[in-house]
């Protein structure tokens, strides 16, 4: 892909939307690999170019610019740069009315992604009432747009469930997650399920779900992804609660090893 990008640069130059879009896509690939700083470098360059092109031709470039704003905001959320993410998401949300009507499906998808990221940013800034309203809106829009048997709808249900757990609304979280699990089982949903089981004092069941999630994460991402380290930390914490200190220590060292191999270095100041 890097070789293709170099050829694209040579042919079009760095100010062409083809180059900017592909650079943003490559940044998203690095993001998925947990290489956050490399991803940020690429996506910020992509954003700067697409912003310039958008100002020159707002109607034609609105969709491209909205997509990079959303993707960069998601990266910033993973880097704990919440205020920067919120500003990008608000800017992206304002672009929806510029996206052409024939692209209705894409427009709706972009709008849902923006709303989801706004909810995440509000949650991380402790604006819980506002976040809950946005999550409710996301689920309802996803249900209408995607349908009740789709992965997109299930993903939104699971994210809302995770939020409800933090807010202490356990019954609502279980209802949302059960609906998502009927559609499919993913490692993210297993982590949410494990968290629910912990809250219900079903700690052995929770431990089993963490282990299952870790296996799926490693199959999907390998050992270097930040989600591996985060889930190992949750497992270690649970093992300590279960008074299994030797196992907890071993898992904690695995988490440290996974974290050291990841390029994630969050900036807590945002």
């Amino acid at each position: 892909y890097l070789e293709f990008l170099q050829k694209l640069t040579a042919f079009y130059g760095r100010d062409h939307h083809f180059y900017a879009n592909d650079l943003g896509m490559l940044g998203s690939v690095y993001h998925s690999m947990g290489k956050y700083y490399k991803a940020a470098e690429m996506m910020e360059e992509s954003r700067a170019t697409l912003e310039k092109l958008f100002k020159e031709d707002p109607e034609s470039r609105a969709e491209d610019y909205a997509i990079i704003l959303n993707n960069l905001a998601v990266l910033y959320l993973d880097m704990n740069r919440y205020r920067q993410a919120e500003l990008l998401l608000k800017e992206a949300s304002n672009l929806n009315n510029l996206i052409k009507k024939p692209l209705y499906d894409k427009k709706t998808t972009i709008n849902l992604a923006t709303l989801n990221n706004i909810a995440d940013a509000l949650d991380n800034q402790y604006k819980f009432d506002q976040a809950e309203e946005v999550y409710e809106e996301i689920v309802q829009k996803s249900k209408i747009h995607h349908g009740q048997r789709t992965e997109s709808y299930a993903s939104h249900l699971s994210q809302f469930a995770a939020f409800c757990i933090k807010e202490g609304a356990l019954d609502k979280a279980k209802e949302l997650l059960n609906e998502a699990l009927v559609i499919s089982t993913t490692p993210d949903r297993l982590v949410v399920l494990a968290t629910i089981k912990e809250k219900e004092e079903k700690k052995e069941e929770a431990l089993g779900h963490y282990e299952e999630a870790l296996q799926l994460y490693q199959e999907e991402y390998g050992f270097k992804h930040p989600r591996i380290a985060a889930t190992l930390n949750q497992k270690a914490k649970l093992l300590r609660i279960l008074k299994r200190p030797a196992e907890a220590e071993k898992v904690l060292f695995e988490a440290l090893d996974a974290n050291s191999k990841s390029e994630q270095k969050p900036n807590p100041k945002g």
Side-chain angles (χ1 to χ4, degrees):
Y1 200 100
L2 284 169
E3 183 181 352
F4 170 74
L5 201 62
Q6 289 171 352
K7 290 180 179 178
L8 204 63
T9 307
F11 191 77
Y12 289 107
R14 301 175 77 93
D15 292 329
H16 197 280
H17 68 91
F18 283 167
Y19 171 79
N21 285 329
D22 280 356
L23 185 64
M25 288 173 61
L26 185 58
S28 294
V29 171
Y30 276 101
H31 180 192
S32 71
M33 295 166 63
K35 298 182 177 182
Y36 292 172
Y37 280 83
K38 185 67 174 176
E41 179 185 340
M42 292 180 169
M43 293 168 76
E44 284 163 0
E45 182 184 343
S46 172
R47 179 209 172 184
T49 301
L50 289 171
E51 181 179 24
K52 178 184 175 183
L53 295 171
F54 168 72
K55 287 178 179 178
E56 294 172 356
D57 187 358
E59 188 173 331
S60 297
R61 299 272 75 88
E63 183 187 355
D64 291 341
Y65 189 43
I67 289 170
I68 191 60
L69 289 171
N70 272 303
N71 291 345
L72 183 56
V74 173
L75 175 62
Y76 282 166
L77 288 171
D78 281 344
M79 297 173 78
N80 296 342
R81 295 161 67 174
Y82 302 125
R83 180 57 181 161
Q84 288 173 275
E86 184 181 8
L87 292 173
L88 290 177
L89 293 165
K90 286 181 178 178
E91 186 177 359
S93 183
N94 291 333
L95 297 177
N96 285 321
N97 62 337
L98 293 175
I99 298 173
K100 296 177 181 179
K101 288 184 179 179
L103 296 172
Y104 174 78
D105 288 344
K106 290 184 180 180
K107 177 178 176 179
T108 305
T109 300
I110 291 168
N111 185 46
L112 285 171
T114 303
L115 286 171
N116 191 73
N117 296 332
I118 288 172
D120 198 6
L122 290 168
D123 181 13
N124 283 301
Q125 294 179 81
Y126 308 106
K127 300 175 182 178
F128 300 126
D129 290 343
Q130 295 177 53
E132 183 174 5
E133 290 178 6
V134 177
Y135 277 121
E136 290 277 12
E137 183 181 353
I138 291 165
V139 168
Q140 290 305 314
K141 286 187 174 182
S142 182
K143 184 177 182 179
I144 293 168
H145 177 64
H146 296 122
Q148 289 181 263
R149 303 294 300 176
T150 62
E151 277 300 315
S152 295
Y153 178 62
S155 179
H156 291 132
L157 288 169
S158 180
Q159 289 162 353
F160 192 12
F163 170 80
C164 289
I165 294 169
K166 289 191 289 184
E167 287 298 284
L170 204 59
D171 288 341
K172 186 169 185 177
K174 288 166 64 177
E175 180 183 346
L176 292 165
L177 185 63
N178 286 339
E179 188 177 352
L181 288 170
V182 167
I183 297 168
S184 72
T185 300
T186 67
D188 287 346
R189 287 166 212 165
L190 286 170
V191 169
V192 177
L193 180 58
T195 308
I196 289 174
K197 294 300 180 182
E198 279 197 74
K199 297 289 185 182
E200 293 179 327
E201 299 296 326
K202 298 176 181 177
K203 300 192 187 303
E204 291 291 345
E205 287 186 49
L207 186 61
H209 292 310
Y210 280 133
E211 289 170 350
E212 189 178 354
L214 280 165
Q215 182 178 348
L216 292 175
Y217 275 140
Q218 290 185 45
E219 289 173 1
E220 186 171 352
Y221 300 115
F223 194 66
K224 295 183 179 181
H225 198 279
R227 290 180 182 175
I228 300 288
T231 308
L232 284 168
N233 274 315
Q234 289 172 277
K235 180 182 175 182
K237 181 180 177 181
L238 180 55
L239 286 166
R240 286 198 298 271
I241 293 170
L242 291 168
K243 302 187 185 304
R244 293 158 63 175
E247 293 176 72
E249 183 179 15
K250 180 181 177 182
V251 172
L252 191 58
F253 277 116
E254 290 178 15
L256 290 170
D257 184 42
N259 198 50
S260 69
K261 290 176 180 177
S262 165
E263 292 191 12
Q264 179 188 20
K265 297 177 182 177
N267 174 12
K269 295 183 180 180

